[in-house]
Amino acid sequence: MNSGQPRDLLPRTGVAFLGLGAMGAPMAENLIRRGHALTVWNRSVKKSSAFEGRARIASSPSDAVRDAEIVVLMLADPAAVHAVVDAMLPALVRNALVIDMSTVDPETTRACSAKVHAAGADYFDAPVSGSVVPAKSGKLVILAGGAIAQIDRARTVLEAMGEVRRVGDVGQGMAMKLVLNALGAHMLTGFTAALAFGRKQGLDLRIMLDAISAGAFSSPLFASKGERIARGEFTPDCTLALMLKDQELVMKTAAALDYPMPTERAIRDVLVQAMAAGLGDDDIIGLTRLFEKWAALP
Ligand code: NAP
């Protein structure tokens, strides 16, 4: 917080929120709950009409941003971010602040930041760690890359969605997010592959989960995802298709820095096979189904 005032007395700003998917919709809900005057836009109209009566529903990205001091993007991938930024540029308010909370790569952030600056507005990246549950409860970890003054300017907006951590300058939020997604992909791929290996040896799934949680390899990720695997709940918080997109971004970013990352390549190849097996719309724990198939488990 940049003042000692209670949050409810802080001035409200006109906020445009573009991208109301699995993450964007609950994040936008939290902004409304905190009293921000919100305009929403989503490519497919059905998701924005759910906000009827509580937010202004915009007909296009340019209609969304025409009165907004702060613009939040929560979109699927670099192509979506470029398309939406290009579409809204002509209508951006001078000195507006655009915050990209999607997961893309630092190169996309720097390119979009340059386009927005050329239009007379500001831009920083603030991707999030955490999935649908913390998005609903306003407890995301927000990895902000940008000038302190710009992050402070958006603080009441960001703090409606989670806890803000400044990790560096523009682009570094995405760099940090790719570090987390590379780490998470190694953890989750290792976890699901090892559980299939254990089942192949005749071990009970719940006994394995209990043994993992008791020792040095325990993790909140394994606890929450392990429970869902045990219950056979593959409905997505984050899809395998998005996980593949993230690993492609990790590989592309690493390649540009001459860092080969062979284990990342192996994970990317596993994810490509998951897509070919028709698991793209599964939650990321859908990898369990792929490994169980390879292990010829029932
Ligand atoms: P999602 O449910 O698939 O939503 C994606 C959003 O992007 C939708 O609003 C979609 O519009 C929009 N979109 C896609 N392509 C577009 C295009 N070309 N032009 C305009 N809009 C486009 O994804 P999500 O789970 O909310 O994730 C959003 C972002 O957060 C992604 O970058 C993801 O990697 C990241 N993230 C996700 C999680 C998670 O657990 N789900 C966690 C942290 C970060 P339509 O509705 O019209 O398709």
Side-chain angles (χ1 to χ4, degrees), residues 17-286:
F17 199 106
L18 292 84
L20 303 166
M23 294 293 285
M27 291 161 72
E29 293 285 359
N30 279 327
L31 287 171
I32 294 172
R33 214 166 284 136
R34 288 290 181 91
H36 291 283
L38 203 66
T39 296
V40 294
W41 175 82
N42 194 69
R43 180 180 60 175
S44 47
V45 177
K46 203 172 155 213
K47 290 178 193 162
S48 44
S49 51
F51 285 79
E52 201 78 59
R54 295 176 300 124
R56 181 172 80 81
I57 315 290
S59 57
S60 64
S62 58
D63 180 36
V65 304
R66 63 181 157 83
D67 294 321
E69 187 197 334
I70 291 183
V71 176
V72 178
L73 308 179
M74 192 54 174
L75 300 160
D77 54 23
V81 171
H82 273 294
V84 171
V85 166
D86 290 348
M88 75 187 186
L89 271 187
L92 263 185
V93 172
R94 192 158 181 80
N95 295 325
L97 174 59
V98 181
I99 307 166
D100 186 16
M101 302 188 77
S102 329
T103 301
V104 295
D105 53 323
E107 187 191 336
T108 299
T109 292
R110 286 191 283 269
C112 289
S113 173
K115 289 194 265 196
V116 166
H117 273 109
D122 288 305
Y123 192 99
F124 71 84
D125 45 324
V128 300
S129 175
S131 192
V132 172
V133 171
K136 284 183 178 158
S137 60
K139 294 207 166 118
L140 292 165
V141 176
I142 299 171
L143 308 162
I148 292 169
Q150 297 296 349
I151 295 169
D152 278 344
R153 192 178 153 198
R155 201 165 278 279
T156 57
V157 170
L158 295 174
E159 286 183 347
M161 298 179 276
E163 175 215 320
V164 186
R165 280 165 191 254
R166 180 178 182 271
V167 297
D169 293 324
V170 170
Q172 295 295 84
M174 294 304 171
M176 186 66 230
K177 177 63 179 161
L178 292 187
V179 168
L180 290 184
N181 281 5
L183 174 62
H186 280 77
M187 290 173 73
L188 198 91
T189 310
F191 183 55
T192 48
L195 290 178
F197 173 54
R199 284 195 62 209
K200 194 74 184 164
Q201 295 179 86
L203 289 166
D204 176 80
L205 180 62
R206 285 218 177 261
I207 287 174
M208 285 192 280
L209 294 175
D210 186 55
I212 292 167
S213 72
F217 297 156
S218 69
S219 115
L221 177 75
F222 297 162
S224 65
K225 292 298 186 186
E227 187 50 41
R228 289 191 60 183
I229 291 168
R231 292 204 301 259
E233 276 178 25
F234 296 99
T235 48
D237 283 345
C238 187
T239 61
L240 278 171
L242 283 177
M243 184 177 170
L244 173 58
K245 174 266 299 185
D246 290 338
Q247 306 324 306
E248 298 279 17
L249 293 177
V250 170
M251 302 266 325
K252 177 183 156 221
T253 304
L257 297 167
D258 286 329
Y259 180 40
M261 295 192 87
T263 57
E264 184 69 33
R265 186 177 301 279
I267 291 168
R268 192 271 314 270
D269 292 348
V270 166
L271 287 165
V272 168
Q273 302 223 36
M275 296 304 113
L279 298 172
D281 291 334
D282 267 21
D283 188 74
I284 52 180
I285 56 167

Side-chain angles (χ1 to χ4, degrees), residues 283-297:
D283 188 74
I284 52 180
I285 56 167
L287 283 180
T288 302
R289 299 212 238 216
L290 185 69
F291 289 124
E292 288 182 346
K293 188 171 145 228
W294 287 346
L297 286 162

